[in-house]
Amino acid sequence: MSDRIVCKPTPWFLLRAALMLAMFGVFSVLFFVDGKWGYRNENLSYYVWQGFDKAAKDFAARESGLTPEAWQAHAATQTIDLPEDRSILPPGTPDPMPWPAVLQDFEKMKATPGRPPELKKLFDEYRKEADIRRNAPEKAFDAGKIREQWWAFGVCLALTSGAAFILLRTLRRSISVDDEALYPATGGRIPFGDLVRLDLRKWDTKGLAYAWAKTGDGGEKRLRIDGLTYGGFKKEQDEPAERLMRRLREHFSGEIVEYVIEEEPPKEASAPEG
């Protein structure tokens, strides 16, 4: 008996599966972070920024004849305008939320006559002190947008689980053949006498073939032989998948389905016009 030809998972397939696993895993984390914290923190940043903008405009309207004491007394009674749906803000957000102390500082407000860039710089300094880690977006995210992140997280998590399952399952599998039987990736032993049909129409182009074997109840089951996933066709490795297929064909006695290129019949020469 000749040695068994064993085709293990190819590095090409394993790398592709690992990259897909990593990609879907990263997307899962990003969508989870945005759904759990990210969008809510951006919303908080947005509404606080609107409060800074409102305070700057309010100060500009009152600046003529305004004293530090009068501004502080006015600012101390003001609050940030928050949305009706508090669920789109981080848990623990003060409600009501008073103006930050920096907006009650007469000298600092006097140094920010316009919105950018002085007011933006003042806002960014406060944002760091208050541990608001996201920049203010152009528009606040509503509850529907936050739910979308959770839906996207669920889809990516399912894809991540699927990629992990396929990778781990493939790592434990192989396709092999000896002089007596075929050992498919799904496991088991299929004697050559049980093989009834072999479809090779995709073998040369996609490295994919199908074999049908008899079952105990008189039916047939289909076996997939994937040469790109198992063995491969690298010349420097002596084309493991191709060697496996040659061995299989040497011992196969059933029907083989292949593409047949029909040659066009030769054209009859036409009689010269006379």
Side-chain angles (χ1 to χ4, degrees):
M1 180 184 296
S2 60
D3 294 335
R4 180 186 292 191
I5 298 174
V6 180
C7 290
K8 296 181 179 181
T10 60
W12 171 84
F13 175 83
L14 296 179
L15 176 61
R16 186 178 66 167
L19 288 176
M20 292 179 64
L21 176 61
M23 179 182 68
F24 292 134
V26 168
F27 281 139
S28 297
V29 171
L30 293 177
F31 284 123
F32 175 81
V33 169
D34 278 342
K36 183 71 174 178
W37 302 291
Y39 275 19
R40 289 179 171 84
N41 284 327
E42 287 190 43
N43 283 343
L44 177 60
S45 185
Y46 171 82
Y47 287 107
V48 172
W49 168 244
Q50 295 301 309
F52 270 69
D53 183 49
K54 178 183 177 182
K57 293 176 179 178
D58 198 359
F59 184 88
R62 297 168 176 265
E63 187 175 7
S64 180
L66 188 65
T67 64
E69 293 76 13
W71 173 251
Q72 186 174 16
H74 168 74
T77 63
Q78 303 302 305
T79 59
I80 301 291
D81 291 332
L82 298 177
E84 291 185 7
D85 185 1
R86 299 295 200 267
S87 70
I88 67 173
L89 297 175
T93 299
D95 186 13
M97 186 177 187
W99 276 8
V102 66
L103 295 182
Q104 302 178 34
D105 190 315
F106 179 85
E107 296 300 327
K108 289 186 177 180
M109 294 301 297
K110 190 175 181 180
T112 57
R115 181 173 179 178
E118 294 86 356
L119 186 63
K120 183 65 168 59
K121 181 179 179 181
L122 193 67
F123 169 72
D124 286 338
E125 291 175 354
Y126 167 76
R127 188 168 58 83
K128 291 178 181 178
E129 293 175 2
D131 198 27
I132 302 176
R133 302 181 181 181
R134 295 290 186 104
N135 287 317
E138 293 294 327
K139 183 180 179 181
F141 299 103
D142 59 22
K145 288 293 183 181
I146 295 176
R147 281 195 299 271
E148 287 178 5
Q149 303 309 300
W150 286 112
W151 280 109
F153 163 70
V155 171
C156 287
L157 183 61
L159 292 172
T160 301
S161 301
F165 172 77
I166 292 173
L167 178 59
L168 293 175
R169 183 187 65 176
T170 305
L171 280 171
R172 296 193 296 265
R173 289 182 168 186
S174 65
I175 301 176
S176 60
V177 65
D178 56 24
D179 285 338
E180 296 180 352
L182 169 70
Y183 304 84
T186 52
R189 179 179 181 273
I190 311 296
F192 290 126
D194 289 346
L195 295 175
V196 296
R197 188 163 59 260
L198 185 61
D199 187 344
L200 300 178
R201 288 175 293 180
K202 297 181 180 180
W203 184 254
D204 290 336
T205 57
K206 298 183 179 180
L208 187 63
Y210 296 97
W212 280 261
K214 294 181 290 187
T215 59
D217 57 1
E220 295 180 357
K221 64 178 179 179
R222 191 179 73 164
L223 308 171
R224 178 186 174 100
I225 304 173
D226 190 341
L228 289 177
T229 301
Y230 300 96
F233 297 89
K234 287 189 175 182
K235 298 288 186 182
E236 59 271 25
Q237 297 177 355
D238 196 22
E239 299 181 297
E242 192 63 48
R243 288 193 294 112
L244 180 141
M245 183 55 67
R246 284 199 299 267
R247 176 75 66 83
L248 176 59
R249 294 192 63 168
E250 288 174 2
H251 298 279
F252 181 74
S253 59
E255 175 189 359
I256 296 180
V257 182
E258 294 181 285
Y259 279 119
V260 178
I261 301 177
E262 298 182 357
E263 297 183 359
E264 294 184 3
K267 295 182 180 179
E268 296 183 359
S270 58
E273 296 180 1

